[in-house]
Amino acid sequence: MADILDWTSANLDTLDGATHEARAGEMAARLVEQTGSGELPFLTMSYMAGLKQQLSNLKDYLKGFDHMLLLGIGGSALGARALQKAFFPQQDQPGHNGPSLWIADNVDAYALESYLATLPAEKTVIVTISKSGGTIETVGQYFIFKEWAQKKLGDEWNRHMLLITDEEEGFLRTEADRNTIKTLPVPDNLGGRYSVLSAVGLIPALFLGIDIDSLIDGARDVVAPLIDPTLTGQTLSRHPSFQLATWAASLLDKGFDEMIFFAYIPLWASFGDWFAQLWAESLGKEGKGSQPVPAIGVTDQHSVNQMFMDGIRNKACLFLTCPTLPAGPRFPNDLPDQFDYVRGKNFGELIQAEGLGNRMALSQNGVPLVELSMGDDGPKQAGKLIALLGAATILTGWLMGINPLDQPAVELGKRLAKARMNADGLEEEKADMDAFLSADRDTREF
Ligand code: PA5
């Protein structure tokens, strides 16, 4: 079954997409220039041949472990979790006794204590992922697990470590060189949220036995026209990523400043969190952008859906479906009359009916909506989705006139936290914090 974008309910006739569509030639030229100069490895995947070789070299090594503990945050964790939840659901199900991936992507002392107390060191590989090599949430956990591994494993500790970081710079690179730790690179110009199809997402996927070749093939299918050096505006204007981008940009012009990602493929729910980071960190700039809102079909029909349907009319929606989800068990015949309508039907028919019903209701309530209907829910389709949404995000940012590849505004909070921990060289931040803390507080007990 084909993968389809259904634009029927996108409200294209009420949006002024023409100004954005007219920029296809300019955008195509920019793609040609930046893919040619190596600035967009997310699209070219120029690192892939080398990476595949490295992954194949590591396959047997990874098989020697039962547990992988991934230390990373943001783009260094969200893609791995989406792949894990989509293609290795057995870890969350009763009776699991295969490999286990644990993702430590927060400053959560409770979780950390539990990993320290229960993971068997001899059977655990600790994968630390940080492009910059200096993110305190990640490197802080690395320090703790380094000490743990040294105590438990003695001289063998470094064999249980794998570092995924910048090829040349940063603390983790130095650490790897100093301690002879295995490493894999995060390629230049590949920011965290665009890195799931590099070692960042593929090492955990390989460990779990996910079909990474299909993931990559799916992504390649989508990006192939975009990295063609002869790309023209005409070709780009037919590409779904550009069509999504012009839609997203024209939605912003009309005040639709929230973008729901409604996933009616339950196992793919964590792609909502991956998308949210991609969309928010890429597009939330200079007072512009739309707030991503991940939602899970059908669970969130009983939660945030009321707001989607009848709250502020500022929401658009990417609606993810798959008509070939498993049918599941059949409802029993012996049912009370009031549930007669499901007698003899499969459980899986319910999600299709509810998806259709909610999609139609959103549309009738004025939510512009594009349905992404995946022909099946395998890794190839996930690769296609990753590439499509990543490319659409980059193009939307370009149409908005912002840089979709950086995230400068998140730095202030990090600097202030470091100042609070008394890091050197942050005198201004320390003074600001002292002023903030010594100002009159309005506190009320409850
Ligand atoms: O998308 C991004 O670039 C960020 O969210 C990063 O992934 C996140 O801040 C972690 O950075 P690093 O991989 O350098 O530790």
Side-chain angles (χ1 to χ4, degrees), residues 73-76 130-132 135 192-193 277 281 407 414:
I73 196 165
S76 292
S130 175
K131 160 91 175 138
S132 60
T135 304
R193 58 193 179 272
Q277 191 221 2
E281 278 201 341
Q407 61 284 334
K414 294 186 199 171

Side-chain angles (χ1 to χ4, degrees), residues 176-413:
D177 295 343
R178 196 187 300 133
N179 295 292
T180 332
I181 298 173
K182 283 189 179 29
T183 63
L184 285 170
V186 184
D188 284 348
N189 298 320
L190 193 68
R193 58 193 179 272
Y194 294 96
S195 69
V196 54
L197 296 181
S198 72
V200 172
L202 296 183
I203 276 286
L206 180 70
F207 175 71
L208 296 175
I210 294 169
D211 178 0
I212 57 181
D213 288 333
S214 293
L215 268 172
I216 297 161
D217 288 349
R220 279 201 199 283
D221 282 357
V222 170
V223 298
L226 302 177
I227 61 173
D228 182 340
T230 64
L231 177 70
T232 62
Q234 214 173 26
T235 312
L236 183 62
S237 62
R238 287 194 297 270
H239 197 277
S241 64
F242 186 70
Q243 293 174 351
L244 283 174
T246 56
W247 181 63
S250 50
L251 282 165
L252 284 174
D253 297 340
K254 294 274 182 192
F256 288 94
D257 55 14
E258 291 190 21
M259 181 63 79
I260 304 163
F261 181 86
F262 222 141
Y264 274 78
I265 306 178
L267 289 180
W268 289 26
S270 292
F271 276 107
D273 297 329
W274 170 83
F275 169 76
Q277 191 221 2
L278 173 73
W279 196 253
E281 278 201 341
S282 301
L283 303 181
K285 318 249 158 90
E286 301 173 22
K288 302 184 222 174
S290 66
Q291 177 69 33
V293 185
I296 305 171
V298 304
T299 311
D300 284 328
Q301 281 186 223
H302 297 261
S303 167
V304 285
N305 205 34
Q306 171 69 29
M307 183 65 87
F308 297 166
M309 294 288 173
D310 204 20
I312 305 168
R313 307 281 166 188
N314 64 341
K315 295 164 188 63
C317 182
L318 291 166
F319 199 91
L320 181 69
T321 62
C322 175
T324 56
L325 290 178
R330 198 171 279 276
F331 290 104
N333 278 328
D334 184 16
L335 291 177
D337 285 350
Q338 74 194 98
F339 299 108
D340 196 32
Y341 60 95
V342 296
R343 187 174 295 139
K345 300 207 170 79
N346 294 316
F347 183 63
E349 286 178 66
L350 202 49
I351 190 169
Q352 302 298 354
E354 295 207 51
L356 177 61
N358 207 40
R359 176 158 60 84
M360 193 170 147
L362 283 165
S363 171
Q364 288 185 352
N365 277 295
V367 177
L369 176 153
V370 174
E371 182 187 7
L372 286 78
S373 173
M374 309 310 291
D376 70 63
D377 60 345
K380 180 159 188 192
Q381 273 59 37
K384 289 181 81 172
L385 183 77
I386 289 166
L388 174 66
L389 295 177
T393 304
I394 293 169
L395 290 166
T396 304
W398 287 358
L399 290 172
M400 289 165 56
I402 53 98
N403 177 3
L405 304 180
D406 65 3
Q407 61 284 334
V410 302
E411 294 307 320
L412 176 59

